Amino acid sequence: MAEVGSIALLISLVVTIYSIVAYILGLKQKNKRLLKSAENGVFANAILTTVASAALLYALVTSDFSIKYVAHYTNFALPLAYKISAFWAGNSGSLLLWYWVLSIYAAIIASSKKPEGAQMRPYASAVLMFISLFFALVLNFEASPFAQLGFTPQDGQGLNPMLQNVGMVIHPVTTYLGYVGFAVPFAFAMAALYLKKTGATWIKLTRRWTLIAWLFLSIGIVSGGQWAYVELGWGGYWAWDPVENASLLPWLTSTAFFHSVMIQERKGMLKIWNVLLIIITFALTLFGTFLTRSGILSSVHAFGESQIGLYFLIFMGVILAGSLNLFAIRRKSLESENEFESTLSKESSFLFNNLLLVGSAFAVFWGTIYPIISEAVRGVKVTVGPPFFNQVNVPIGILLVILTGICPLIAWRKSSWQNFRKNFLAPLVLSIIFAAGIYITMGVNEIYPLLALTSSFFVFLTIIMEFYRGVKARMKMTDEGLMTALFRLVSRNRRRYGGYIVHLAVVIMIIGITGSSAYKLEREVTVNQGEVIHFEEYDITYHGLKVQKDPNKDTVYANLSVKKNGKPYTTLRPAKQYFKTWEEPVTEVDFKSGIEEDLYIILAGWSDSGAQAILKVVINPLVSWLFFGINILIVGTLIAVWPDDRQRSIELLKEMHKDA
Amino acid sequence: MRKKIATILVLVSIMVVFTSAVSYALTVKDVAKEIKMVGCEMLVSVCRTDAANEMRNTIAGMVDKGMTKKEIITSFIEKYGEQVYAAPTKKGFNLIAWIMPFLAIIVGGGVIYYFARQWSAAYEFGTSNKTTEHLSKEEEEEYKEQLDEEFKKYL
């Protein structure tokens, strides 16, 4: 199988180079046959990368330990699901996954038949193939997943136990799908720049790609947090680790991007800004990979130092230099008729939304690279961790939430103070009452949690009001029933109401983040067998240690029964697992999740053969809101991107009208 | 304008009232969540190693002695170097770390303000020669009815 994979990758490199050359010549000579041939190269490349990926999968599943990668990341006892997920457990496998997805995306773009994209498509495809070339080179000459050991060991080393979690199946794949997805709007932006067609066409063509990439990245980030929460056993989900930050950076800039492109679509403004944002977003996806692979910053995510980090840095430099050079050459084509009818308008609120999102991205970027700056300038190593990021980003985040409430309700073009008051007075007054309520009854008396919860409530109210007004107007106009009106309101204004649902998801997640970060309670206790731990409203009885054996590992777990407010609530089994292929024991937490809070218990250690155990008990308020919120975010985004034939025909009519 | 100022004052005073008069006793966690465990890449408050346990005990001892958070952190920095503190110190060159993000936002805000004003001026200039038509009440109602009809078709 190694030969099949290696040969497929080698041919893929040749085909990629051929496609790029054919595109360049075909476009230069306006040679349709050559362009068609280049396009076929894109399809062939997708097939070749699929063959290479299938070869690696086959080798992993059949435990072909003659392949270094397979021997390094799997063993016979590893369950099938993790043998499959070992595909992206290491450097070369994850790069192959990236390359595979990219080649499929390129093939989808090349096969598109949308007439409005016909002119840009070959240019965008050429850019995508150029990006592919980088991966083909790295996979062939630096990090081949098919490198052979020269002998076949009896068993493999096995997968890091931390990676043996369902999070391993979801988090890396979705994150990569997000990262790779941003290559498409980037490629179209370059095509639009080259062709001097920097109007809204490239944005319309890539809107869905951007949103889907953003959705995958959102799922990737949250599932990564959930994985850390379940697997790492420290009771948290976000540590402001450089690699976590690296995934947040393109998320923030892409969020800014798909907000600001709305202004370009409507008013033809901000062309320069939008092109810059997508260049930055794509470069940041490479920056993330550079950070993970270079070992330049200390991180819990380290993939091991290798040359790949350097290659990514060089490639990022090439991408930035090339795209910014093109940007500078085409600067004139980006000039737009910028007119603002009022400073109090949706346009201006979008500008502030962009300022805060990009400002927040800059803060995260700056904090992440500051240790390097400090070492270079002062020769002193410093740490930039949660205290810095929380102090800097929380106020920006709260302002962003408030803006999330204000922005959708301000009219396009020109809003008036009367209109502003009409829309906001009620939510504002209710929010102040809410703040007073949670301050008095729930003891929320720290400024940031109070502001975060109140502003979330404010956004929630404004969204509800928007739905209420829309449904009411429909019911009045069409005599529809409540549910029909609600359904049609959403289904006929998918972008708008999909967006509101995403905003709703974001505030739900912010409530989760606020509760779990500001009001987390924890206690470490040493407990004897039969003894009860009283912690808040919980009574936790320790019944002793038990051992469970399976082919892959031995699990030692503490048997706990839990009562809540005196009533039986649940049983929990926090454990330590001893994997046959891993020296260090792995902590396996157990928790009971609820709407109000999670009861989360870690088995820290034991003595006297389990007669005594050391347990860390954590109460994480509202954390399930964060993990639940992502489901609503998925629903909202899908509504916003779902194809709408009605909308398409309206746009077609508009185009016809323009032509007439 | 007065109303706006009054509203802002009310909001600020609510915030001040809510956040003042709240004081807390220093806990080990308060300190441990700002100190990085060397070699663990995590904070002392969450690192599960024995060394982190010892570190937490040391902090507990310092808290019991009545040391403030600042004093404890300073003593750690003196002993282990700046890297032990999970954020850059707020002095000297490190001030750049703290100032830059906010400076960037303030400068960005200034740039937005500058362009927004320019664009508003461009709009006003473009519309200054246009005349606006004034409609009678009847005409307005007629148009509204027509608009409603169109809406019904669209909905």
Side-chain angles (χ1 to χ4, degrees), chain A residues 60 63-75 78 86 89-92 145 147 149 153 155-161 163-164 303-304 581-582:
Chain A
L60 287 164
S63 299
D64 181 354
F65 298 131
S66 66
I67 298 173
K68 199 172 156 189
Y69 190 82
V70 180
H72 196 274
Y73 292 105
T74 63
N75 61 340
L78 193 68
N91 253 335
S92 42
L149 280 171
D155 200 356
Q157 290 176 31
L159 189 65
N160 181 338
L163 306 183
Q164 296 185 36
F303 271 71
T581 52
W582 212 256

mmCIF file of all heavy atoms in Angstrom, chain A residues 60 63-75 78 86 89-92 145 147 149 153 155-161 163-164 303-304 581-582:
data_model
loop_
_atom_site.group_PDB
_atom_site.id
_atom_site.type_symbol
_atom_site.label_atom_id
_atom_site.label_comp_id
_atom_site.label_asym_id
_atom_site.label_seq_id
_atom_site.Cartn_x
_atom_site.Cartn_y
_atom_site.Cartn_z
ATOM 1 N N LEU A 60 -3.625 1.951 7.734
ATOM 2 C CA LEU A 60 -3.927 2.153 9.165
ATOM 3 C C LEU A 60 -4.873 1.074 9.673
ATOM 4 O O LEU A 60 -4.659 0.490 10.738
ATOM 5 C CB LEU A 60 -4.557 3.537 9.380
ATOM 6 C CG LEU A 60 -3.629 4.747 9.275
ATOM 7 C CD1 LEU A 60 -4.426 6.031 9.127
ATOM 8 C CD2 LEU A 60 -2.719 4.839 10.495
ATOM 9 N N SER A 63 -3.279 -2.303 9.851
ATOM 10 C CA SER A 63 -2.070 -2.297 10.687
ATOM 11 C C SER A 63 -0.821 -2.704 9.907
ATOM 12 O O SER A 63 -0.100 -3.629 10.285
ATOM 13 C CB SER A 63 -2.243 -3.216 11.908
ATOM 14 O OG SER A 63 -3.293 -2.766 12.699
ATOM 15 N N ASP A 64 -0.548 -1.992 8.841
ATOM 16 C CA ASP A 64 0.653 -2.237 8.044
ATOM 17 C C ASP A 64 1.816 -1.479 8.691
ATOM 18 O O ASP A 64 2.132 -0.346 8.314
ATOM 19 C CB ASP A 64 0.387 -1.747 6.606
ATOM 20 C CG ASP A 64 1.583 -1.993 5.704
ATOM 21 O OD1 ASP A 64 2.632 -2.424 6.220
ATOM 22 O OD2 ASP A 64 1.465 -1.753 4.483
ATOM 23 N N PHE A 65 2.446 -2.146 9.661
ATOM 24 C CA PHE A 65 3.468 -1.446 10.448
ATOM 25 C C PHE A 65 4.795 -1.258 9.718
ATOM 26 O O PHE A 65 5.735 -0.711 10.291
ATOM 27 C CB PHE A 65 3.705 -2.172 11.775
ATOM 28 C CG PHE A 65 2.484 -2.208 12.644
ATOM 29 C CD1 PHE A 65 2.051 -3.390 13.218
ATOM 30 C CD2 PHE A 65 1.756 -1.059 12.888
ATOM 31 C CE1 PHE A 65 0.921 -3.422 14.017
ATOM 32 C CE2 PHE A 65 0.622 -1.077 13.684
ATOM 33 C CZ PHE A 65 0.193 -2.263 14.246
ATOM 34 N N SER A 66 4.848 -1.714 8.459
ATOM 35 C CA SER A 66 6.073 -1.425 7.702
ATOM 36 C C SER A 66 6.125 0.068 7.373
ATOM 37 O O SER A 66 7.181 0.624 7.085
ATOM 38 C CB SER A 66 6.127 -2.263 6.421
ATOM 39 O OG SER A 66 5.086 -1.855 5.555
ATOM 40 N N ILE A 67 4.948 0.716 7.432
ATOM 41 C CA ILE A 67 4.901 2.164 7.198
ATOM 42 C C ILE A 67 5.144 2.875 8.533
ATOM 43 O O ILE A 67 4.460 2.595 9.535
ATOM 44 C CB ILE A 67 3.539 2.578 6.594
ATOM 45 C CG1 ILE A 67 3.352 1.906 5.231
ATOM 46 C CG2 ILE A 67 3.414 4.080 6.470
ATOM 47 C CD1 ILE A 67 1.995 2.110 4.612
ATOM 48 N N LYS A 68 6.117 3.767 8.530
ATOM 49 C CA LYS A 68 6.542 4.454 9.755
ATOM 50 C C LYS A 68 5.358 5.122 10.463
ATOM 51 O O LYS A 68 5.197 5.010 11.683
ATOM 52 C CB LYS A 68 7.582 5.511 9.351
ATOM 53 C CG LYS A 68 8.446 5.998 10.456
ATOM 54 C CD LYS A 68 9.522 6.881 9.834
ATOM 55 C CE LYS A 68 10.084 7.857 10.827
ATOM 56 N NZ LYS A 68 10.961 8.837 10.193
ATOM 57 N N TYR A 69 4.548 5.816 9.680
ATOM 58 C CA TYR A 69 3.425 6.580 10.247
ATOM 59 C C TYR A 69 2.438 5.656 10.962
ATOM 60 O O TYR A 69 1.979 5.948 12.066
ATOM 61 C CB TYR A 69 2.721 7.344 9.108
ATOM 62 C CG TYR A 69 1.702 8.350 9.583
ATOM 63 C CD1 TYR A 69 2.088 9.604 9.997
ATOM 64 C CD2 TYR A 69 0.348 8.036 9.602
ATOM 65 C CE1 TYR A 69 1.164 10.539 10.431
ATOM 66 C CE2 TYR A 69 -0.586 8.962 10.041
ATOM 67 C CZ TYR A 69 -0.178 10.214 10.448
ATOM 68 O OH TYR A 69 -1.099 11.124 10.881
ATOM 69 N N VAL A 70 2.148 4.529 10.323
ATOM 70 C CA VAL A 70 1.189 3.569 10.896
ATOM 71 C C VAL A 70 1.761 2.988 12.191
ATOM 72 O O VAL A 70 1.068 2.880 13.213
ATOM 73 C CB VAL A 70 0.865 2.446 9.879
ATOM 74 C CG1 VAL A 70 -0.117 1.451 10.473
ATOM 75 C CG2 VAL A 70 0.315 3.031 8.583
ATOM 76 N N ALA A 71 3.055 2.640 12.141
ATOM 77 C CA ALA A 71 3.685 2.044 13.327
ATOM 78 C C ALA A 71 3.782 3.053 14.462
ATOM 79 O O ALA A 71 3.705 2.693 15.642
ATOM 80 C CB ALA A 71 5.074 1.541 12.962
ATOM 81 N N HIS A 72 3.924 4.316 14.114
ATOM 82 C CA HIS A 72 4.106 5.345 15.131
ATOM 83 C C HIS A 72 2.798 5.706 15.829
ATOM 84 O O HIS A 72 2.774 6.031 17.012
ATOM 85 C CB HIS A 72 4.714 6.594 14.479
ATOM 86 C CG HIS A 72 5.283 7.560 15.471
ATOM 87 N ND1 HIS A 72 4.525 8.511 16.088
ATOM 88 C CD2 HIS A 72 6.536 7.702 15.957
ATOM 89 C CE1 HIS A 72 5.285 9.212 16.908
ATOM 90 N NE2 HIS A 72 6.512 8.731 16.851
ATOM 91 N N TYR A 73 1.699 5.644 15.103
ATOM 92 C CA TYR A 73 0.444 6.168 15.676
ATOM 93 C C TYR A 73 -0.618 5.116 15.970
ATOM 94 O O TYR A 73 -1.695 5.461 16.458
ATOM 95 C CB TYR A 73 -0.136 7.255 14.760
ATOM 96 C CG TYR A 73 0.723 8.497 14.747
ATOM 97 C CD1 TYR A 73 1.539 8.797 13.666
ATOM 98 C CD2 TYR A 73 0.741 9.351 15.850
ATOM 99 C CE1 TYR A 73 2.355 9.917 13.675
ATOM 100 C CE2 TYR A 73 1.555 10.472 15.858
ATOM 101 C CZ TYR A 73 2.360 10.750 14.771
ATOM 102 O OH TYR A 73 3.161 11.863 14.796
ATOM 103 N N THR A 74 -0.368 3.857 15.624
ATOM 104 C CA THR A 74 -1.389 2.839 15.920
ATOM 105 C C THR A 74 -0.733 1.575 16.470
ATOM 106 O O THR A 74 0.492 1.435 16.435
ATOM 107 C CB THR A 74 -2.190 2.436 14.655
ATOM 108 O OG1 THR A 74 -1.295 1.833 13.726
ATOM 109 C CG2 THR A 74 -2.889 3.604 14.012
ATOM 110 N N ASN A 75 -1.552 0.698 16.968
ATOM 111 C CA ASN A 75 -1.111 -0.654 17.331
ATOM 112 C C ASN A 75 -2.299 -1.601 17.133
ATOM 113 O O ASN A 75 -3.422 -1.140 16.842
ATOM 114 C CB ASN A 75 -0.574 -0.716 18.764
ATOM 115 C CG ASN A 75 -1.621 -0.342 19.785
ATOM 116 O OD1 ASN A 75 -2.617 0.299 19.446
ATOM 117 N ND2 ASN A 75 -1.418 -0.737 21.025
ATOM 118 N N LEU A 78 -5.623 -1.054 19.169
ATOM 119 C CA LEU A 78 -6.355 0.220 19.042
ATOM 120 C C LEU A 78 -7.720 -0.013 18.370
ATOM 121 O O LEU A 78 -7.792 -0.663 17.333
ATOM 122 C CB LEU A 78 -5.517 1.181 18.191
ATOM 123 C CG LEU A 78 -5.939 2.647 18.196
ATOM 124 C CD1 LEU A 78 -5.698 3.291 19.557
ATOM 125 C CD2 LEU A 78 -5.164 3.427 17.127
ATOM 126 N N ALA A 86 -6.355 8.059 13.443
ATOM 127 C CA ALA A 86 -4.892 8.223 13.453
ATOM 128 C C ALA A 86 -4.415 8.845 12.141
ATOM 129 O O ALA A 86 -3.289 9.345 12.054
ATOM 130 C CB ALA A 86 -4.210 6.879 13.687
ATOM 131 N N ALA A 89 -3.498 12.110 13.150
ATOM 132 C CA ALA A 89 -2.893 12.235 14.483
ATOM 133 C C ALA A 89 -1.493 12.843 14.405
ATOM 134 O O ALA A 89 -1.010 13.414 15.371
ATOM 135 C CB ALA A 89 -2.822 10.875 15.149
ATOM 136 N N GLY A 90 -0.847 12.714 13.263
ATOM 137 C CA GLY A 90 0.523 13.213 13.150
ATOM 138 C C GLY A 90 0.660 14.236 12.034
ATOM 139 O O GLY A 90 -0.314 14.530 11.321
ATOM 140 N N ASN A 91 1.878 14.738 11.909
ATOM 141 C CA ASN A 91 2.158 15.781 10.926
ATOM 142 C C ASN A 91 1.766 15.418 9.503
ATOM 143 O O ASN A 91 0.956 16.091 8.878
ATOM 144 C CB ASN A 91 3.667 16.025 10.924
ATOM 145 C CG ASN A 91 3.999 17.326 11.573
ATOM 146 O OD1 ASN A 91 3.167 18.220 11.603
ATOM 147 N ND2 ASN A 91 5.188 17.433 12.096
ATOM 148 N N SER A 92 2.361 14.334 9.002
ATOM 149 C CA SER A 92 2.194 14.045 7.582
ATOM 150 C C SER A 92 0.767 13.624 7.251
ATOM 151 O O SER A 92 0.233 14.003 6.201
ATOM 152 C CB SER A 92 3.193 12.984 7.127
ATOM 153 O OG SER A 92 3.296 11.969 8.066
ATOM 154 N N PRO A 145 3.613 10.532 4.364
ATOM 155 C CA PRO A 145 2.982 9.596 5.299
ATOM 156 C C PRO A 145 3.283 8.143 4.935
ATOM 157 O O PRO A 145 2.940 7.236 5.688
ATOM 158 C CB PRO A 145 1.486 9.905 5.150
ATOM 159 C CG PRO A 145 1.347 10.610 3.860
ATOM 160 C CD PRO A 145 2.653 11.226 3.511
ATOM 161 N N ALA A 147 6.409 6.952 4.205
ATOM 162 C CA ALA A 147 7.807 6.586 4.435
ATOM 163 C C ALA A 147 7.848 5.232 5.152
ATOM 164 O O ALA A 147 7.054 4.982 6.058
ATOM 165 C CB ALA A 147 8.480 7.659 5.287
ATOM 166 N N LEU A 149 9.739 1.946 7.213
ATOM 167 C CA LEU A 149 10.729 1.725 8.262
ATOM 168 C C LEU A 149 11.904 0.883 7.767
ATOM 169 O O LEU A 149 12.993 0.958 8.302
ATOM 170 C CB LEU A 149 10.073 1.001 9.441
ATOM 171 C CG LEU A 149 9.246 1.834 10.411
ATOM 172 C CD1 LEU A 149 8.504 0.937 11.376
ATOM 173 C CD2 LEU A 149 10.142 2.791 11.179
ATOM 174 N N PRO A 153 7.795 -3.987 12.429
ATOM 175 C CA PRO A 153 7.745 -4.335 13.857
ATOM 176 C C PRO A 153 6.541 -5.227 14.183
ATOM 177 O O PRO A 153 5.558 -5.219 13.440
ATOM 178 C CB PRO A 153 7.619 -2.973 14.548
ATOM 179 C CG PRO A 153 7.220 -2.016 13.506
ATOM 180 C CD PRO A 153 7.556 -2.575 12.183
ATOM 181 N N ASP A 155 4.433 -4.951 16.622
ATOM 182 C CA ASP A 155 3.256 -4.133 16.947
ATOM 183 C C ASP A 155 3.652 -2.666 16.831
ATOM 184 O O ASP A 155 4.842 -2.332 16.868
ATOM 185 C CB ASP A 155 2.763 -4.453 18.363
ATOM 186 C CG ASP A 155 1.308 -4.022 18.566
ATOM 187 O OD1 ASP A 155 0.731 -3.413 17.638
ATOM 188 O OD2 ASP A 155 0.752 -4.294 19.643
ATOM 189 N N GLY A 156 2.645 -1.814 16.724
ATOM 190 C CA GLY A 156 2.932 -0.390 16.622
ATOM 191 C C GLY A 156 3.041 0.249 17.996
ATOM 192 O O GLY A 156 2.795 -0.400 19.020
ATOM 193 N N GLN A 157 3.425 1.533 18.021
ATOM 194 C CA GLN A 157 3.582 2.234 19.311
ATOM 195 C C GLN A 157 2.247 2.646 19.914
ATOM 196 O O GLN A 157 2.153 2.924 21.094
ATOM 197 C CB GLN A 157 4.443 3.476 19.100
ATOM 198 C CG GLN A 157 5.890 3.152 18.807
ATOM 199 C CD GLN A 157 6.700 4.409 18.519
ATOM 200 O OE1 GLN A 157 6.422 5.474 19.046
ATOM 201 N NE2 GLN A 157 7.684 4.278 17.665
ATOM 202 N N GLY A 158 1.225 2.716 19.102
ATOM 203 C CA GLY A 158 -0.095 3.069 19.623
ATOM 204 C C GLY A 158 -0.336 4.567 19.623
ATOM 205 O O GLY A 158 0.600 5.363 19.539
ATOM 206 N N LEU A 159 -1.596 4.908 19.735
ATOM 207 C CA LEU A 159 -1.996 6.314 19.679
ATOM 208 C C LEU A 159 -1.930 6.927 21.080
ATOM 209 O O LEU A 159 -2.316 6.280 22.061
ATOM 210 C CB LEU A 159 -3.429 6.403 19.135
ATOM 211 C CG LEU A 159 -3.978 7.770 18.790
ATOM 212 C CD1 LEU A 159 -3.208 8.406 17.640
ATOM 213 C CD2 LEU A 159 -5.452 7.669 18.397
ATOM 214 N N ASN A 160 -1.431 8.160 21.147
ATOM 215 C CA ASN A 160 -1.433 8.893 22.411
ATOM 216 C C ASN A 160 -2.834 8.792 23.039
ATOM 217 O O ASN A 160 -3.824 9.134 22.393
ATOM 218 C CB ASN A 160 -1.077 10.350 22.105
ATOM 219 C CG ASN A 160 -1.015 11.213 23.333
ATOM 220 O OD1 ASN A 160 -1.606 10.884 24.372
ATOM 221 N ND2 ASN A 160 -0.304 12.314 23.233
ATOM 222 N N PRO A 161 -2.918 8.318 24.292
ATOM 223 C CA PRO A 161 -4.251 8.125 24.900
ATOM 224 C C PRO A 161 -5.122 9.379 24.904
ATOM 225 O O PRO A 161 -6.331 9.299 24.842
ATOM 226 C CB PRO A 161 -3.926 7.694 26.334
ATOM 227 C CG PRO A 161 -2.557 7.167 26.267
ATOM 228 C CD PRO A 161 -1.848 7.898 25.186
ATOM 229 N N LEU A 163 -5.477 11.296 22.614
ATOM 230 C CA LEU A 163 -6.133 11.403 21.310
ATOM 231 C C LEU A 163 -7.204 10.329 21.133
ATOM 232 O O LEU A 163 -7.878 10.288 20.114
ATOM 233 C CB LEU A 163 -5.105 11.305 20.177
ATOM 234 C CG LEU A 163 -3.932 12.282 20.237
ATOM 235 C CD1 LEU A 163 -3.036 12.126 19.019
ATOM 236 C CD2 LEU A 163 -4.410 13.721 20.319
ATOM 237 N N GLN A 164 -7.339 9.464 22.129
ATOM 238 C CA GLN A 164 -8.347 8.410 22.005
ATOM 239 C C GLN A 164 -9.655 8.887 22.643
ATOM 240 O O GLN A 164 -10.037 8.481 23.730
ATOM 241 C CB GLN A 164 -7.853 7.120 22.652
ATOM 242 C CG GLN A 164 -6.631 6.574 21.932
ATOM 243 C CD GLN A 164 -6.176 5.239 22.448
ATOM 244 O OE1 GLN A 164 -6.986 4.404 22.830
ATOM 245 N NE2 GLN A 164 -4.874 5.011 22.463
ATOM 246 N N PHE A 303 3.316 19.415 17.998
ATOM 247 C CA PHE A 303 3.363 18.262 17.113
ATOM 248 C C PHE A 303 4.795 17.725 17.021
ATOM 249 O O PHE A 303 5.072 16.825 16.274
ATOM 250 C CB PHE A 303 2.932 18.664 15.689
ATOM 251 C CG PHE A 303 1.466 18.554 15.446
ATOM 252 C CD1 PHE A 303 0.579 19.439 16.026
ATOM 253 C CD2 PHE A 303 0.964 17.552 14.634
ATOM 254 C CE1 PHE A 303 -0.774 19.343 15.789
ATOM 255 C CE2 PHE A 303 -0.387 17.449 14.401
ATOM 256 C CZ PHE A 303 -1.264 18.344 14.978
ATOM 257 N N GLY A 304 5.698 18.335 17.716
ATOM 258 C CA GLY A 304 7.103 17.963 17.579
ATOM 259 C C GLY A 304 7.753 18.888 16.575
ATOM 260 O O GLY A 304 7.158 19.227 15.559
ATOM 261 N N THR A 581 0.484 0.850 25.788
ATOM 262 C CA THR A 581 1.532 1.419 24.933
ATOM 263 C C THR A 581 1.996 2.779 25.438
ATOM 264 O O THR A 581 2.647 3.512 24.714
ATOM 265 C CB THR A 581 0.992 1.586 23.513
ATOM 266 O OG1 THR A 581 -0.226 2.314 23.604
ATOM 267 C CG2 THR A 581 0.761 0.261 22.840
ATOM 268 N N TRP A 582 1.600 3.131 26.636
ATOM 269 C CA TRP A 582 1.914 4.479 27.108
ATOM 270 C C TRP A 582 2.409 4.420 28.552
ATOM 271 O O TRP A 582 1.786 3.774 29.388
ATOM 272 C CB TRP A 582 0.661 5.346 27.013
ATOM 273 C CG TRP A 582 0.966 6.780 26.721
ATOM 274 C CD1 TRP A 582 0.927 7.803 27.601
ATOM 275 C CD2 TRP A 582 1.372 7.319 25.473
ATOM 276 N NE1 TRP A 582 1.286 8.956 26.970
ATOM 277 C CE2 TRP A 582 1.566 8.691 25.660
ATOM 278 C CE3 TRP A 582 1.617 6.790 24.210
ATOM 279 C CZ2 TRP A 582 1.979 9.534 24.634
ATOM 280 C CZ3 TRP A 582 2.021 7.631 23.188
ATOM 281 C CH2 TRP A 582 2.199 8.981 23.413
#
